[in-house]
Amino acid sequence: MSDYLDTAAEDVPVEQTPPDVESRFHGYTGNAIPWYVRLIWLGFWVLAVVYTLKYLLPILPIEIADPP
C-alpha cells in the first residue's frame, strides 16, 4: 500500500485509481440547518396533522361508501 502523498492522482489511470489517492481532494463538510427552516417544517407538519384530523378523517367514511 502506498503512502498518502506518495502517488499523484495524475500518475494513475482513472480506472485504476486507489481510493486513498482518489479521495485526496475530496473534503466534504455538512451545513447546519437554520432555526427558521426547522420552524417552517415544524409548522408544515403541524398544519398537515391538523388538516388531516379536522377535514379528512371525518369525511373519509362517507366518501369511501358513496363516492361523488
Side-chain angles (χ1 to χ4, degrees), residues 42-67:
L42 180 64
F44 168 78
W45 285 113
V46 167
L47 290 175
V49 169
V50 167
Y51 175 84
T52 301
L53 294 176
K54 187 172 182 179
Y55 295 108
L56 183 62
L57 290 182
I59 200 72
L60 196 58
I62 299 168
E63 290 293 327
I64 290 176
D66 187 24

Side-chain angles (χ1 to χ4, degrees), residues 13-34:
V14 176
E15 294 82 16
Q16 300 172 357
T17 306
D20 58 339
V21 173
E22 188 174 331
S23 67
R24 182 180 304 163
F25 303 108
H26 293 225
Y28 299 107
T29 57
N31 295 320
I33 300 172

Side-chain angles (χ1 to χ4, degrees), residues 3-22:
D3 188 23
Y4 182 70
L5 296 175
D6 206 17
T7 306
E10 295 82 16
D11 296 341
V12 181
V14 176
E15 294 82 16
Q16 300 172 357
T17 306
D20 58 339
V21 173
E22 188 174 331

